[in-house]
């Protein structure tokens, strides 16, 4: 009974402090009353809840007690009672409304509190963070507006500007400090203590989820002024890509692509900036280790991610140079499934090669073609790889046609000394065209076999009784269709190459066979029945290498040549780094 009375007196005293502060014209004279409110943070549950509301409300009137008040309030944020924690979290944005110097620290704390297990507490953290982000936008907008406009602000806006200006000094140097503080949780965890690493990993995951689900979708509202803030958040992303998974990297790249500064009307220099980010993730400055499966996966994934930017004029030279100097020389040592994925990526980006890239890479491509295009008919032929190499050969040769004189024995005149027309390359021409003829015969034979097989598939479909049987047959028909496209593409690309002075295909009128499979599968009922799902470049879960990695964008590869050793394999999505995490309280820094 005495304890209840003590609690009542404590609550009554708090209300007295609050009433006196509300009524006082000069609240700064009532420092002892404010200190009494702060002392209540060690009192009863009800007293703590009241203190959580009163401390931030009056903190602006006592600047000398600002740090002390915030520390008292933060203790309430980790109280054992859920109600106390929720009230304290809800009060955190009030500290920054009038004292923005606390903003970065409070956002940092709230970022750590995102791992809260209770839904009510987590919702309070989300709302507090969004409130601070919007405060920051408002403050930045006011400073920007006042600095640019000559019109008179309303008294309220003028007061807000003066307050903003007091802490920003120069609006041009003012940073979006709330977002900056939030991004600090995404950086590398290498400098963390091993004991805390699990907790930090969990915090990082939660912060990323918050940015993905709450911040990125509201970029139009939160990134103001637009150009300046889009540049700021771009720099934040670039600074925090040292230790991301494949999925995270794709998330950030998709976000950057959505910004207006990188939109369709952006200059080539900005598009090149995105490619340079991707080049950094691909580790193009590192020595390639053929036994590092993660690196080749990452290279393929990043190359495919960069394709849309190559189409917009960005340079692909660094990727081609790495291919020529680092990867193609050890191509034979790569696993078969990675060979095919690499050749597919090479084919898809070959249109973007510049003349100097083509001259550098063509000798390697011709040598690979000779390995796959045998001179005698054999049972085991990798038609899909030949399609990739022929497609890349045409596009590269179109950019540097006279390079093929010494490689394939062609007589192409460009007027340059590199034509080497006075030399005899007839043996190269004979060898190359014989290989072309052999591959044409094999492709025609495969075409005939696949066409006959389609009739058998139709009969089997009519006789099938279960959905499982029908699904298997549908898949077989789809593979056969892809196989026919592959063979037809090969025939279309070999025929022009028999001439002494061939015309190389430099456009994209030939649609690569796997692209056709993907395009046709989307609207069809049959594709829906197979249960196929589209996978994204660079997505994945587990990681083979700490830091980064990549996965295949297109898993729809043809198995029409089963029995003829198409030697093609699929890859599951790979992540650059797997992450774990733990939970706890009393974990955050002050």
């Amino acid at each position: 009974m005495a304890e209840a009375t003590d609690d009542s007196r404590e609550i009554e005293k708090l209300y007295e402090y609050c009433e006196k502060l509300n009524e006082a014209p000069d609240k700064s004279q009532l420092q002892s009353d404010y200190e009494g409110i702060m002392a209540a943070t060690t009192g009863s549950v009800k007293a703590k809840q009241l203190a959580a509301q009163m401390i931030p409300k009056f903190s602006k009137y006592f600047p000398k007690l600002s740090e002390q008040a915030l520390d008292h309030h933060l203790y309430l944020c980790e109280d054992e009672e859920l109600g106390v924690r929720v009230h304290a979290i809800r009060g955190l944005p009030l500290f920054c409304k009038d004292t923005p110097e606390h903003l970065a620290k409070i956002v940092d704390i709230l970022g750590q509190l995102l791992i809260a297990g209770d839904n009510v507490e987590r919702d309070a953290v989300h709302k507090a963070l969004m409130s601070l982000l919007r405060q920051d936008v408002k403050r930045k907008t006011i400073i920007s507006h006042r600095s640019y406009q000559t019109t008179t602000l309303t008294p309220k806006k003028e007061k807000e500007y003066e307050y903003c200006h007091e802490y920003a000094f120069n609006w041009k140097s003012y940073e979006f400090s709330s977002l900056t503080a939030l991004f600090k949780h995404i950086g590398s965890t290498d400098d963390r203590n091993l004991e805390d690493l699990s907790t930090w990993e969990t915090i990082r995951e939660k912060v990323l989820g918050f940015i993905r689900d709450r911040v990125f979708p509201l970029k139009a509202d939160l990134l103001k002024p637009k150009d300046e803030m889009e540049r700021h958040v771009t720099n934040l992303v670039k600074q925090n890509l040292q230790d991301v998974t494949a999925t995270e990297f794709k998330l950030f790249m998709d976000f950057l692509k959505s910004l207006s500064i990188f939109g369709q009307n952006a200059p080539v220099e900005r598009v090149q900036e995105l490619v340079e980010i991707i080049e950094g993730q691909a580790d193009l400055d590192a020595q390639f280790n053929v036994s590092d499966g993660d690196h080749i996966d990452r290279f393929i994934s990043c190359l495919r991610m960069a394709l849309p930017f190559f189409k917009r004029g960005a340079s692909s030279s660094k990727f081609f140079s790495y291919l020529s100097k680092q990867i193609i020389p050890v191509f034979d040592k790569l696993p078969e499934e990675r060979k095919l994925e690499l050749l597919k990526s090479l084919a898809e980006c070959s249109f973007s090669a510049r003349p100097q890239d083509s001259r550098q890479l063509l000798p390697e491509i011709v040598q690979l073609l000779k390995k796959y295009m045998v001179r005698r008919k054999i049972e085991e032929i990798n038609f899909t790889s030949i399609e990739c190499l022929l497609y890349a050969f045409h596009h590269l040769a179109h950019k540097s046609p006279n390079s093929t004189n010494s490689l394939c024995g062609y007589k192409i005149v460009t007027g340059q000394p590199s034509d080497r027309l006075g030399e005899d390359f007839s043996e190269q021409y004979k060898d190359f065209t014989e290989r072309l003829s052999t591959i044409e015969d094999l492709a025609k034979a495969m075409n005939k076999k696949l066409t006959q097989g389609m009739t058998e598939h139709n009969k089997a479909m009519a006789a099938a009784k279960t959905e499982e049987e029908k699904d298997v047959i549908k898949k077989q028909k789809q593979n056969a269709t892809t196989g026919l496209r592959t063979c037809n593409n090969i025939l279309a690309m070999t025929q022009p190459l028999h001439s002494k002075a061939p015309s190389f295909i430099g456009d994209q009128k030939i649609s690569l066979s796997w692209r056709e499979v993907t395009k046709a599968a989307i609207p069809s009922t049959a594709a829906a029945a197979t249960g196929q799902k589209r996978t994204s470049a660079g997505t994945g879960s587990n990681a083979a290498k700490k830091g980064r990695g990549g996965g295949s964008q297109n898993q729809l590869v043809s198995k029409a040549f089963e029995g003829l050793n198409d030697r093609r394999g699929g890859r599951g999505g790979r992540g650059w780094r797997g992450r774990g995490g733990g939970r706890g309280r009393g974990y955050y820094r002050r």
Side-chain angles (χ1 to χ4, degrees), residues 7-235:
D7 287 349
S8 299
R9 289 175 181 170
E10 186 179 25
I11 301 302
E12 185 178 346
K13 196 68 176 174
L14 280 173
Y15 279 121
E16 287 179 7
Y17 293 147
C18 184
E19 185 176 353
K20 287 173 66 178
L21 285 165
N22 279 330
E23 295 176 353
D26 185 2
K27 296 176 176 54
S28 62
Q29 299 300 315
L30 300 176
Q31 180 173 319
S32 60
D33 294 82
Y34 189 63
E35 289 174 338
I37 293 174
M38 288 192 293
T41 56
T42 59
S44 64
V45 171
K46 181 63 175 177
K48 291 176 182 178
Q49 290 178 343
L50 286 173
Q53 300 172 57
M54 296 176 182
I55 290 174
K57 180 178 179 180
F58 300 108
S59 64
K60 64 182 179 180
Y61 302 110
F62 305 96
K64 293 182 179 179
L65 298 177
S66 179
E67 291 293 335
Q68 184 181 349
L70 182 57
D71 283 342
H72 276 82
H73 197 86
L74 291 177
Y75 280 115
L76 297 178
C77 291
E78 54 179 335
D79 194 83
E80 293 181 356
E81 290 291 331
L82 173 63
V84 174
R85 298 200 303 271
V86 170
H87 277 83
I89 290 168
R90 289 172 179 171
L92 283 173
L94 296 177
F95 277 100
C96 305
K97 188 173 182 180
D98 299 300
T99 52
E101 70 270 24
H102 290 312
L103 193 144
K105 180 177 182 179
I106 290 177
V107 170
D108 178 54
I109 298 298
L110 286 169
Q112 297 171 52
L113 288 172
L114 282 170
I115 67 173
D118 186 89
N119 290 336
V120 175
E121 184 177 3
R122 191 164 55 249
D123 183 63
V125 174
H126 286 177
K127 289 180 178 178
L129 277 170
M130 292 306 298
S131 175
L132 291 172
L133 288 167
R134 289 190 169 95
Q135 278 186 33
D136 222 357
V137 171
K138 183 179 180 182
R139 190 171 295 116
K140 180 73 173 180
T141 304
I142 291 171
I143 296 171
S144 176
H145 178 81
R146 186 66 177 84
S147 299
Y148 273 126
Q149 303 297 328
T150 58
T151 55
T152 304
L153 300 178
T154 63
K156 182 179 179 182
K157 291 291 183 183
E158 185 66 40
K159 183 179 179 181
E160 289 176 342
Y161 162 72
E162 293 299 337
Y163 209 91
C164 293
H165 189 73
E166 179 182 350
Y167 293 100
F169 298 106
N170 182 351
W171 76 270
K172 291 183 178 179
S173 66
Y174 184 83
E175 291 190 355
F176 198 58
S177 49
S178 57
L179 202 54
T180 304
L182 207 54
F183 264 85
K184 287 182 179 178
H185 292 290
I186 303 174
S188 175
T189 57
D190 291 342
D191 59 344
R192 310 295 184 193
N193 294 328
L194 290 177
E195 298 176 359
D196 299 330
L197 186 59
S198 178
T199 299
W200 279 111
E201 291 280 11
T202 306
I203 291 171
R204 183 184 184 281
E205 179 184 345
K206 296 298 183 181
V207 170
L208 267 171
F210 178 80
I211 291 174
R212 179 193 64 225
D213 300 334
R214 299 297 185 96
V215 178
F216 285 175
L218 295 176
K219 64 180 184 293
D221 297 326
L222 297 179
L223 301 184
K224 295 178 180 179
K226 185 164 64 173
D227 287 352
E228 180 187 350
M229 295 313 302
E230 286 188 350
R231 170 51 57 190
H232 179 61
V233 76
T234 298
N235 292 337

Side-chain angles (χ1 to χ4, degrees), residues 303-348:
L303 179 56
R304 286 178 169 169
M305 193 178 293
L307 280 174
F309 307 124
F310 296 156
K311 293 180 180 179
R312 294 173 58 186
S315 173
S316 56
S317 294
K318 197 165 184 179
F319 275 102
F320 279 118
S321 178
Y322 199 82
L323 263 172
S324 177
K325 296 178 180 179
Q326 299 274 355
I327 298 180
I328 299 298
V330 294
F331 184 83
D332 288 341
K333 298 179 181 179
L334 294 173
E336 289 300 320
E337 67 273 11
R338 289 193 176 98
K339 288 182 181 179
L340 182 66
E341 293 301 326
L342 180 64
L343 293 179
K344 282 184 170 185
S345 300
L346 170 62
E348 290 181 356

